Amino acid sequence: PSLAPTLHTYVPPGVCEIQCSILDLLAFNPKLSTFVSMVKAARLLPLLSATEDPMTVFVPTNYAFELLPPAKFEALLSDPTALKAILLRHMTRGAFASADLPTGTASVVTGAGETVLVTRYPTEISVTSLGGTSRLIEADNEASNGIVHVVDKVF
């Protein structure tokens, strides 16, 4: 699959002033609605529109959430602490474009305080945590407050 950024194409013209926020890019994409709903439930929406500190978000698609065992998905929805932790695992401080990642494996500290491994191979980039490994399927969606990468699994 192409890693080319496409999230801007889902945002209606005139919605964003100069550049869309991370929240703007996610809110208008129907393929990312589960992540947005969960962020809302965890009361993390302000984080995705904040302008103080840039961030990088690795956003799982709706299909990535469907791959979770139903019991695990339901447990996340019923446990606000676990939900917040798994969502923050997909966020990190600083705006990291795919070109900024060194070849090989690098450690990244997430918003949950966990360390995940980001591995750049010649033809793909993966993210590995205690929760599993995902692959970037879309990279470098620039926002006014950071960068969004779309991933194929919840990690």
Side-chain angles (χ1 to χ4, degrees):
S2 170
L3 292 178
T6 65
L7 296 184
H8 290 86
T9 63
Y10 292 92
V11 180
V15 168
C16 304
E17 290 183 20
I18 297 172
Q19 191 174 22
C20 294
S21 71
I22 290 171
L23 181 58
D24 294 327
L25 292 180
L26 303 181
F28 289 101
N29 189 318
K31 296 175 185 173
L32 305 176
S33 60
T34 302
F35 184 82
V36 173
S37 295
M38 293 180 124
V39 165
K40 184 176 182 181
R43 298 195 160 118
L44 293 173
L45 282 179
L47 192 60
L48 298 182
S49 56
T51 57
E52 297 81 41
D53 295 316
M55 64 188 313
T56 299
V57 184
F58 298 94
V59 180
T61 62
N62 293 350
Y63 183 69
F65 283 102
E66 290 173 17
L67 293 175
L68 291 174
K72 182 174 182 175
F73 185 76
E74 291 301 320
L76 278 176
L77 294 178
S78 64
D79 182 348
T81 303
L83 178 60
K84 190 172 184 177
I86 202 163
L87 293 171
L88 288 173
R89 180 185 295 155
H90 290 78
M91 304 175 194
T92 187
R93 287 183 183 218
F96 302 107
S98 59
D100 297 334
L101 301 170
T103 300
T105 301
S107 297
V108 175
V109 177
T110 69
E114 299 175 49
T115 298
V116 297
L117 301 176
V118 179
T119 305
R120 182 182 175 136
Y121 299 101
T123 59
E124 73 177 39
I125 297 171
S126 68
V127 183
T128 304
S129 75
L130 295 175
T133 298
S134 68
R135 208 169 36 90
L136 268 66
I137 56 175
E138 185 175 324
D140 303 331
N141 289 279
E142 293 183 19
S144 60
N145 56 339
I147 294 186
V148 176
H149 302 296
V150 180
V151 295
D152 65 349
K153 292 193 176 86
V154 177
F155 56 84

